Amino acid sequence: MVIIMNADATAENIKNVIEAIQDVGLTAQIMEGAQQKIVGVIGDKSRMGSLAIDAMDGVEKTVEISKSYKLASREFHPQSTVVDVDGVKIGGGNLVVMAGPCAVESREQLFEAADLVKKAGAQFLRGGAYKPRTSPYSFQGLEETGLRYLAEARERTGLKIVTEVTEVEAVETVAKYADMLQIGARNMQNFRLLKEVGRTDKPVLLKRGLAATLNEWLNAAEYIMSEGNPNVVFCERGIRTYETYTRNTLDLSAVAAIKHLSHLPIIVDPSHGTGKWRMVKPMAFAAVAAGADGLMMEMHPNPAKALSDGPQSLTPENFSQVMQGLQQLSAFLHTSGLEITTL
Ligand code: PEP
Ligand code: MN
């Protein structure tokens, strides 16, 4: 952090700022500009927590120069991380696909979806049992019953289960059934929830917040990791912009940026990212070309009858076509050397 002093700051003002910094065990370094003096702060910035430097006499502003996230940053951990979800590896060149309905609606619906997901070659079954719906009158999910169906579908197919947890009180229950805990866009800055999943031993799929900056997203991962859980996978799912044609604006540049800033894997969800099933295939292909470690896609045995997100859900036929295309694309990228690995 650097502290920029006012042009008319007195020697006494500067001395007070330096003393405040030294009092919390940090080192201050003065840089003399033509007009202003700048005080550089060196050391563990968490010690600055108790100081209100901006409020001190003679201070114009404080500017952060180092990143506030550490455990999630590539600076701190140059080697890319591979997250192992009970034997399925995310990162390290494997293209992982998580697919299934938006919500678990019934045992029959889920089993039908699970069989199709397995047959098409994906590794994870997705499906919400706790649904964070915009309207309180919309289908809210089957909760623990839905989790039981997911666990049964795992028994039936061998697919891993990824499912959302929306509240602190449900973390223990969801962790009992799921292989991977999903933090949804609406909860990306629910810090108590982030800490709670950080205390479990289950890998976490961290979706990008509805309007989150990359810095906020990386700090959300830091919340989870700082509680002792190193297994975090990012999921870009679009952000809100002024565009209304699509449900969200899928930010594929986030794939390249996150790979540069962090060692953690990142997957892309073109279903929530666009809100339109027709756009899922092109955006899925583009995500893989951009270097994504995997995809999350919604597929429903009968999208027209889906209780949520039907318009963005692939039919079984379309899903299996997308999967075939993805296999060809990733094989081509791999053999041609066009695969994006380091940034
Ligand atoms: C979901 O994946 O079911 C979901 C609700 O997505 P998001 O949190 O990205 O809106
Ligand atoms: Mn959905």
Side-chain angles (χ1 to χ4, degrees):
M1 174 189 278
V2 293
I3 300 158
I4 301 171
M5 305 299 297
N6 286 328
D8 56 4
T10 63
E12 180 75 9
N13 294 154
I14 296 170
K15 184 167 152 273
N16 289 341
V17 167
I18 292 172
E19 276 174 11
I21 292 164
Q22 289 171 341
D23 282 352
V24 291
L26 296 167
T27 307
Q29 239 172 38
I30 303 188
M31 289 162 265
E32 305 238 5
Q35 316 272 330
Q36 285 167 299
K37 287 198 170 64
I38 293 175
V39 181
V41 183
I42 301 160
D44 175 6
K45 94 167 222 260
S46 64
R47 290 167 180 243
M48 295 287 289
S50 55
L51 299 179
I53 297 281
D54 284 283
M56 291 182 75
D57 287 341
V59 172
E60 186 173 307
K61 62 177 173 184
T62 57
V63 181
E64 284 291 348
I65 50 168
S66 69
K67 297 189 177 83
S68 49
Y69 54 90
K70 238 189 190 97
L71 300 172
S73 87
R74 200 179 270 285
E75 248 168 39
F76 184 78
H77 187 298
Q79 192 107 25
S80 293
T81 287
V82 175
V83 171
D84 188 321
V85 185
D86 197 24
V88 174
K89 294 187 166 48
I90 309 179
N94 314 296
L95 183 71
V96 168
V97 176
M98 306 179 181
C102 179
V104 179
E105 298 170 6
S106 67
R107 182 188 262 119
E108 296 66 38
Q109 172 248 18
L110 189 70
F111 283 10
E112 196 179 343
D115 292 348
L116 291 159
V117 166
K118 174 74 181 177
K119 190 157 156 249
Q123 296 84 358
F124 279 79
L125 176 65
R126 63 143 289 142
Y130 295 79
K131 293 305 300 174
R133 303 305 300 279
T134 300
S135 160
Y137 307 119
S138 302
F139 176 59
Q140 302 286 310
L142 299 180
E143 303 196 345
E144 195 162 355
T145 306
L147 294 174
R148 272 200 292 275
Y149 296 160
L150 284 163
E152 287 176 34
R154 170 177 47 215
E155 290 301 305
R156 182 183 168 96
T157 58
L159 291 166
K160 304 297 169 204
I161 301 300
V162 56
T163 194
E164 180 166 353
V165 55
T166 52
E167 58 204 29
V168 170
E169 295 69 27
V171 170
E172 205 182 318
T173 309
V174 178
K176 207 162 77 192
Y177 295 94
D179 299 299
M180 187 173 209
L181 306 176
Q182 177 173 323
I183 297 292
R186 290 154 194 80
N187 275 311
M188 191 210 81
Q189 284 192 313
N190 180 339
F191 300 118
R192 282 194 59 221
L193 184 60
L194 297 175
K195 287 193 203 174
E196 198 66 28
V197 298
R199 291 185 204 115
T200 71
D201 59 0
K202 292 289 157 102
V204 178
L205 184 68
L206 179 62
K207 291 195 131 194
R208 184 174 180 180
L210 301 173
T213 64
L214 297 182
N215 188 57
E216 288 162 344
W217 196 13
L218 287 153
N219 274 293
E222 193 77 10
Y223 263 94
I224 299 169
M225 298 174 88
S226 66
E227 292 296 324
N229 188 343
N231 296 311
V232 178
V233 175
F234 290 106
C235 179
E236 162 62 36
R237 47 77 72 204
I239 45 173
R240 185 162 291 179
T241 67
Y242 51 79
E243 183 53 69
T244 55
Y245 176 71
T246 43
R247 180 175 179 181
N248 291 293
T249 296
L250 185 66
D251 178 14
L252 288 181
S253 74
V255 174
I258 289 288
K259 284 208 164 276
H260 179 66
L261 295 168
S262 176
H263 55 94
L264 298 169
I266 175 166
I267 70 164
V268 171
D269 171 355
S271 307
H272 294 89
T274 62
K276 292 183 170 0
W277 70 267
R278 285 176 196 282
M279 296 182 74
V280 169
K281 178 168 153 180
M283 292 302 100
F285 286 11
V288 173
D293 298 297
L295 294 161
M296 171 173 263
M297 292 179 282
E298 288 186 340
M299 187 276 294
H300 194 284
N302 185 354
K305 293 252 168 74
L307 294 183
S308 64
D309 287 352
Q312 68 192 35
S313 298
L314 294 169
T315 60
E317 296 71 34
N318 284 330
F319 175 62
S320 111
Q321 264 184 22
V322 173
M323 288 298 286
Q324 282 169 30
L326 286 170
Q327 269 151 24
Q328 282 177 272
L329 178 61
S330 58
F332 168 74
L333 291 171
H334 194 63
T335 51
S336 64
L338 289 172
E339 209 169 28
I340 305 285
T341 45
T342 48
L343 283 159

